[in-house]
Amino acid sequence: MSLRNMVHCALSLVLTFAGLAGLYLQLNAEFVGFTQILVYVGAVSILIVFAILLTRSTEPKDEPATVTPWVGISVAVGAFLTMALAVLASPVGKRLAAPAPEVSVKTLGQKLMTDYVLPLEVMALLLTAAMLGAVIIAMKDKEGQR
Amino acid sequence: MAELFQAIDQFPVILKHWLMSHAAGVLPEWVLPLLSAALSITPILAVFPLLFALTTVVERKGLGRIQNRIGPNRVGIPLTDIRLYGFGQFIADGIKSLIKEDVVPRAADKVVHFLAPIALLIPVLLTYSVLPFGKNMVPLDLPQTGLLFFFAVGASTELSVFMAGWSSRNKYSLLGAMRAIAQMVSYEIPLILSSLTVVMMAGTLSLTGIVENQATVHFGFLHDWHLFTPWGFVGFCLFLTAAAAEANRTPFDLPEAESEIIAGYFTEYSGFKFAIFFLAEYLGLFAMCGLGITLFLGGWLPPFKFLGFIPSWCWFLGKLVALILLFIWLRGTLPRLRTDQLMGFAWKFLLPMTLINLVVAALWHMSGGAVPVLVRWAVGFVLLAVPYWLLGRGFEVKFTKREYRFAN
């Protein structure tokens, strides 16, 4: 960690989310890419930032970074070069891209309601449970005050 | 005659094709896509900031009239007596903000403080790329994800607001940013859900497709705007309310409530950075209005078929100006809400109403053809009016005692 400020870390993480969305767009997955931006850059990042602000002081500490950035940079460059060489050498790049399927809202909805109905239901249950938990925590706080 | 009208209607498209065909022989091939993009972007960058500049003057004059004042009427052409009814004001304002000192607080986080206005303006400008301004006039037509693109890009402005508020190291800025984010996150849900009805009915996320879905004609003259259905009318009202909150307009302008927290998240910005915040806010409002027009008010379509000779982009701009004037009127009329009222309104009123509206839209779609129109209207009206009354008045009177938290 070369960034000592938690908020800077969070902002860099958001940049990574946006980069991931760009990767999806490169793969012709428009829907997933834009949903990634909507959910991660729009909502999850706000959640992270709020969590940081509400739980700890955001004043940057004066103590120096424990690791010099050069070690990290050299490791990152090395890893990138290895991966780039491996990708360039592999036959994946020469494969022809599959024709992009027509993804309409209708097909998406039908897939969600037939093939992927179980994950959808599980997600719904999980989110409802999380929301109920949040409400209960908030309610207890209020009773304690009175 | 019809061909002449057609030519006026398609004038920007024809001009672009003409320029591109002439450039094709002269410029190298890799420049052409860039040139095409630049030609599409230029009108947006020319028209909407100019509209913003004019809106600032009109808004000040309009608010002045509403409050029994005169408003700015002095600045015209310099060194002459021509006053232009004060419409030179925006040029003076622009020059002023350009030559003003840019003050950055010593404790501020310099990098984030500098990046925040840029990170706010760029997504706002990006949202314009999918709006259809006229027939065949959409800079970036995304047939599968147009609306999603708009919301995805629009959602990333929240983070810029946080960046501005946090990096200023000012409690008012941070308070303003917290308020703004809480408000934007809450009102984004009714905004998206009210647009979802349109997606359900049109069966597409493409904004051009949504406009074309409204092109059918009733009774030989009336275009089938989504506004002219029960779910469309209610959806438009909900959309407009949520859009006002997203754009931080009165009555939802708590994030910059100047009597409580100075100017909210951009308290510590001065000079042209402040102007950029101002610009981004208004451009965001225009983009929201443009989306509302596309979704509910028939986009570039005229209300009546016989008015079709007026160019399509004139209709879009006309509707946009009408909505802007509506927002100015609202700003002059309505008082500001309190934060808890604001949140309560979003979660207890707007959200249930949008959910009910989804059901009404589904019923409207299912009963198409078999059931007479009047019955469909009656059912839609009852299904929407009863919850409206219950949520707005009934529950409040019956189950909650009104408490005056700060007035006692």
Side-chain angles (χ1 to χ4, degrees):
Chain A
M1 283 234 307
S2 56
L3 290 174
R4 302 299 293 166
N5 193 323
M6 283 296 278
V7 177
H8 285 173
C9 297
L11 292 178
S12 315
L13 184 66
V14 174
L15 206 63
T16 319
F17 287 150
L20 194 59
L23 218 56
Y24 286 136
L25 293 182
Q26 285 274 307
L27 294 170
N28 276 334
E30 277 181 24
F31 195 88
V32 183
F34 292 139
T35 313
Q36 164 87 13
I37 295 183
L38 182 67
V39 174
Y40 279 84
V41 179
V44 172
S45 62
I46 297 296
L47 186 76
I48 294 171
V49 154
F50 262 61
I52 292 172
L53 280 190
L54 293 178
T55 49
R56 53 187 288 166
S57 151
T58 57
E59 293 297 315
K61 296 183 188 76
D62 280 338
E63 51 191 274
T66 44
V67 189
T68 53
W70 296 109
V71 179
I73 289 175
S74 56
V75 168
V77 168
F80 178 76
L81 278 182
T82 332
M83 277 178 52
L85 286 176
V87 167
L88 283 179
S90 77
V92 176
K94 294 176 188 75
R95 238 185 266 157
L96 282 180
E102 277 292 307
V103 189
S104 70
V105 198
K106 203 170 179 179
T107 49
L108 269 173
Q110 275 167 352
K111 283 274 175 206
L112 271 181
M113 283 297 152
T114 53
D115 294 359
Y116 300 101
V117 70
L118 188 66
L120 185 76
E121 293 286 327
V122 171
M123 288 284 288
L125 198 69
L126 194 69
L127 287 177
T128 316
M131 210 147 74
L132 284 179
V135 167
I136 285 169
I137 291 172
M139 270 164 66
K140 267 187 185 161
D141 258 16
K142 232 178 188 174
E143 277 166 16
Q145 275 174 7
R146 275 177 195 168
Chain B
M1 211 51 184
E3 276 176 24
L4 179 69
F5 287 135
Q6 182 81 17
I8 298 172
D9 183 14
Q10 293 298 304
F11 157 72
V13 181
I14 296 167
L15 185 69
K16 190 188 165 187
H17 278 291
W18 183 79
L19 281 174
M20 286 303 291
S21 64
H22 277 256
V26 187
L27 296 169
E29 203 160 305
W30 59 269
V31 182
L32 291 180
L34 293 178
L35 180 70
S36 168
L39 284 177
S40 302
I41 292 166
T42 317
I44 298 178
L45 287 186
V47 169
F48 287 97
L50 184 69
L51 191 64
F52 154 70
L54 291 174
T55 307
T56 53
V57 183
V58 172
E59 175 153 38
R60 289 176 61 184
K61 287 177 89 74
L63 287 182
R65 281 292 164 202
I66 290 171
Q67 295 160 359
N68 256 340
R69 295 183 284 118
I70 294 175
N73 65 348
R74 295 281 142 178
V75 188
I77 298 167
L79 306 177
T80 60
D81 275 346
I82 307 165
R83 279 187 184 160
L84 300 175
Y85 300 98
F87 271 92
Q89 184 74 44
F90 69 88
I91 300 173
D93 283 344
I95 294 170
K96 184 192 78 177
S97 61
L98 266 176
I99 58 178
K100 243 176 148 177
E101 188 190 354
D102 176 30
V103 184
V104 181
R106 196 189 294 158
D109 196 310
K110 300 279 185 312
V111 179
V112 182
H113 191 267
F114 175 77
L115 282 178
I118 303 170
L120 184 65
L121 186 60
I122 288 176
V124 167
L125 283 174
L126 275 178
T127 53
Y128 282 88
S129 57
V130 288
L131 288 179
F133 301 106
K135 204 185 271 175
N136 303 329
M137 276 171 245
V138 51
L140 173 73
D141 193 14
L142 295 170
Q144 294 162 11
T145 47
L147 189 65
L148 190 66
F149 176 87
F150 189 97
F151 285 129
V153 172
S156 49
T157 54
E158 285 154 24
L159 203 70
S160 333
V161 168
F162 168 78
M163 283 163 70
W166 174 79
S167 66
S168 297
R169 288 293 148 84
N170 176 326
K171 62 183 168 193
Y172 297 113
S173 293
L174 196 59
L175 275 176
M178 291 296 226
R179 281 186 181 188
I181 291 167
Q183 171 177 332
M184 284 162 102
V185 168
S186 312
Y187 279 85
E188 205 170 281
I189 300 164
L191 190 76
I192 291 179
L193 280 178
S194 59
S195 333
L196 204 63
T197 50
V198 176
V199 177
M200 268 169 62
M201 303 305 274
T204 174
L205 281 169
S206 153
L207 291 176
T208 358
I210 287 172
V211 174
E212 273 154 13
N213 188 48
Q214 305 177 53
T216 46
V217 176
H218 281 305
F219 317 118
F221 65 95
L222 189 68
H223 268 297
D224 186 19
W225 289 7
H226 288 145
L227 184 72
F228 303 147
T229 53
W231 58 268
F233 181 72
V234 173
F236 181 64
C237 295
L238 294 169
F239 181 89
L240 222 56
T241 316
E246 279 287 295
N248 295 339
R249 292 287 299 186
T250 334
F252 305 110
D253 65 342
L254 288 135
E256 52 206 69
E258 55 281 63
S259 51
E260 306 157 27
I261 49 172
I262 310 177
Y265 51 88
F266 49 77
T267 302
E268 292 294 356
Y269 283 88
S270 53
F272 207 67
K273 283 183 194 159
F274 173 75
I276 287 181
F277 272 105
F278 209 42
L279 175 70
E281 188 162 297
Y282 274 79
L283 287 185
L285 176 72
F286 298 166
M288 279 296 170
C289 291
L291 187 69
I293 291 166
T294 309
L295 293 178
F296 297 101
L297 300 184
W300 68 75
L301 296 167
F304 308 113
K305 197 161 191 323
F306 55 82
L307 289 175
F309 63 88
I310 298 173
S312 54
W313 40 274
C314 283
W315 279 113
F316 186 88
L317 277 179
K319 290 170 192 173
L320 185 61
V321 170
L323 280 185
I324 292 169
L325 292 179
L326 175 75
F327 274 116
I328 293 175
W329 182 22
L330 284 179
R331 181 172 172 190
T333 316
L334 294 176
R336 189 180 287 144
L337 292 175
R338 223 171 48 210
T339 306
D340 57 328
Q341 292 172 333
L342 180 92
M343 289 296 156
F345 185 65
W347 293 102
K348 292 179 194 160
F349 180 78
L350 283 184
L351 190 61
M353 280 307 285
T354 46
L355 289 175
I356 293 164
N357 201 28
L358 275 179
V359 176
V360 171
L363 279 179
W364 181 269
H365 184 66
M366 292 300 190
S367 61
V371 188
V373 180
L374 276 178
V375 177
R376 290 164 81 194
W377 263 93
V379 170
F381 179 78
V382 169
L383 274 179
L384 287 166
V386 172
Y388 172 80
W389 183 81
L390 281 178
L391 288 169
R393 288 273 171 276
F395 286 150
E396 193 188 358
V397 173
K398 215 165 191 177
F399 298 118
T400 57
K401 215 182 88 203
R402 191 155 199 167
E403 49 178 311
Y404 294 93
R405 236 173 265 186
F406 299 104
N408 287 341

